[in-house]
Amino acid sequence: MQTLLSALIFGSSTATALVTASADLKSSANSRASPVVPVQPIVTYIPPVASSKAPVTKIFAYDGGGFENLVFRANGQILATTAFPEPLLFYVDPLQIRPGVVLHNFTSLQNTVGITELAPDRFYVHGRRKKGGPFTVFLVDMRRFSILPNGTISTPPLVNEIGSLPSSLGLNGMTYLRKSDKFVLIADTLLGAVWKFDVDTGMYNLTLRDSSMAGPPNKTEFAASGINGVRTQNRTLFYCNSGAQAFYKMPLHEDGLSAGNATLITSGVACDDFALDAWGFAYVASPRNALIKVDTRTGAQLVVAGSFNQDASDIISASSARFGVSDSDRTSVYITTNGGAFVGAPEGSQGISRVDIGDVAQAFRNREESLVSKKKICL
């Protein structure tokens, strides 16, 4: 995320890691990423089209905290990470029956960044160690976790360190190919690559490196920033390049290696993490104070919530997005916001919000059902 990049420690340790990472890539048998094939040119920035806005509801506020990412448990509860001022993992109840609480403080880390789940209630969190140390991955086991109605944690999660990635430069978004896998894929924003990390052994290797993942050579407001948010769907890696303000996809093999060229979906999109729906749309958390819907087939962009590039927006510096998993909120997108904290966050702008896009999602669902019905009639 962009807020995270400002907090990263640069220096001799980063330079050493860059040399090591480059050596890893040259020697790795898992570095067969193909060159990018742009299907449309990178163009001068053009704001996305605005639409009638979906309603935005703040479900959890945490002034002074830069929320970075979030994930859902199967029961609908949210786990969210913070990049600053402390490396925290929060528990948040979308229904607000129980108050939001801190699940864990990773005191050895400078920040907490990516989070994802493989086996049920086994979550993986990464962040950078203090004093410029390496990025490290932890297991957060929620299987025995319990919390009382007043927010008191009666049984805390089990948290264990799995391993570090000393060759990485700036780990960011994290995802998986299949829930049954024993590895996760982690974007390296500063290196412009993706690492494959084995959650059983702690071993890792550089599995993808592509020009589409690198930050722009020219100085921008997000200088040195490359690949950021990552998600997979149908064995395809979708990712945003924050510095280039571009959104891509790349087919993958089952082992996480590239199965083809990267394809440019759209450009001129200020992007961070995002959520994917089943109809080919990405809902992108934008640091420019909006939630942007991107058609991954045509590249069309549409602002569905917030006020793009406006300080008066009800979304200030969105950093991540996920669809709800309960029957009541499957057509709602939850977003983390950090309020643009490095330039002074407005009061109440930092936290987690729900964006209700049910009417939009239902329209697409009706269209798909109509197409299926027509096919049956033709048969």
Side-chain angles (χ1 to χ4, degrees):
M1 288 63 177
Q2 284 80 21
T3 51
L4 169 64
L5 296 178
S6 300
L8 290 172
I9 298 176
F10 299 94
S12 59
S13 61
T14 299
T16 301
L18 179 57
V19 173
T20 304
S22 297
D24 286 349
L25 181 62
K26 291 178 181 178
S27 61
S28 174
N30 294 335
S31 56
R32 303 196 299 267
S34 304
V36 63
V37 177
V39 294
Q40 50 187 331
I42 297 293
V43 297
T44 303
Y45 175 71
I46 300 175
V49 177
S51 71
S52 56
K53 306 298 190 302
V56 179
T57 303
K58 177 65 67 66
I59 65 165
F60 181 68
Y62 180 60
D63 286 342
F67 278 94
E68 192 68 14
N69 222 317
L70 78 162
V71 70
F72 276 88
R73 300 179 70 196
N75 63 5
Q77 298 166 351
I78 295 173
L79 304 185
T81 62
T82 59
F84 56 86
E86 295 181 277
L88 305 176
L89 179 65
F90 274 86
Y91 160 95
V92 176
D93 180 1
L95 299 179
Q96 299 175 282
I97 297 174
R98 295 179 176 84
V101 296
V102 175
L103 279 182
H104 189 75
N105 187 335
F106 295 83
T107 56
S108 63
L109 299 181
Q110 173 181 310
N111 48 46
T112 53
V113 190
I115 181 169
T116 195
E117 179 190 35
L118 284 180
D121 258 352
R122 291 171 65 84
F123 297 87
Y124 299 91
V125 176
H126 73 71
R128 188 165 203 163
R129 287 195 174 278
K130 293 179 178 178
K131 299 181 180 179
F135 280 84
T136 302
V137 179
F138 289 80
L139 166 64
V140 179
D141 190 337
M142 296 285 291
R143 288 177 295 180
R144 296 184 179 180
F145 169 78
S146 63
I147 184 170
L148 301 179
N150 64 0
T152 300
I153 297 176
S154 53
T155 306
L158 298 176
V159 180
N160 292 296
E161 179 180 331
I162 300 176
S164 296
L165 294 82
S167 299
S168 63
L169 300 185
L171 297 188
N172 210 316
M174 178 165 56
T175 190
Y176 59 87
L177 269 177
R178 297 169 301 184
K179 288 279 190 176
S180 58
D181 287 334
K182 299 298 182 181
F183 66 88
V184 292
L185 300 174
I186 312 176
D188 194 321
T189 295
L190 300 185
L191 185 60
V194 174
W195 297 93
K196 177 180 177 180
F197 182 87
D198 189 304
V199 298
D200 283 345
T201 66
M203 301 295 290
Y204 69 101
N205 63 278
L206 198 58
T207 189
L208 299 170
R209 195 174 187 185
D210 190 272
S211 60
S212 64
M213 300 176 181
N218 58 309
K219 296 296 182 181
T220 69
E221 62 178 304
F222 303 135
S225 169
I227 184 173
N228 189 330
V230 288
R231 299 280 189 260
T232 58
Q233 190 176 81
N234 299 326
R235 221 160 68 184
T236 298
L237 178 71
F238 292 84
Y239 54 100
C240 78
N241 185 318
S242 294
Q245 297 194 36
F247 196 62
Y248 292 90
K249 63 180 178 180
M250 177 186 287
L252 299 181
H253 290 295
E254 291 184 355
D255 58 2
L257 298 179
S258 171
N261 297 327
T263 299
L264 175 63
I265 295 171
T266 192
S267 56
V269 56
C271 55
D272 207 313
D273 268 293
F274 53 92
L276 293 170
D277 71 12
W279 297 279
F281 292 90
Y283 290 80
V284 180
S286 174
R288 294 186 185 273
N289 305 341
L291 180 67
I292 303 173
K293 183 175 71 173
V294 174
D295 189 328
T296 62
R297 297 157 296 188
T298 68
Q301 302 177 35
L302 187 72
V303 173
V304 295
S307 299
F308 190 79
N309 241 8
Q310 301 296 315
D311 293 339
S313 174
D314 49 9
I315 297 174
I316 302 296
S317 193
S319 56
S320 191
R322 296 271 190 177
F323 275 97
V325 298
S326 301
D327 290 340
S328 61
D329 63 2
R330 291 185 188 277
T331 57
S332 297
V333 176
Y334 290 81
I335 57 173
T336 49
T337 54
N338 55 59
F342 285 105
V343 294
E347 184 177 353
S349 63
Q350 297 163 305
I352 300 174
S353 295
R354 185 185 72 246
V355 181
D356 297 316
I357 58 168
D359 55 339
V360 177
Q362 186 62 45
F364 287 121
R365 180 178 292 109
N366 292 341
R367 184 188 66 177
E368 293 298 316
E369 291 176 351
S370 176
L371 290 175
V372 171
S373 297
K374 288 180 180 179
K375 289 180 179 179
K376 288 181 178 179
I377 293 174
C378 292
L379 293 175

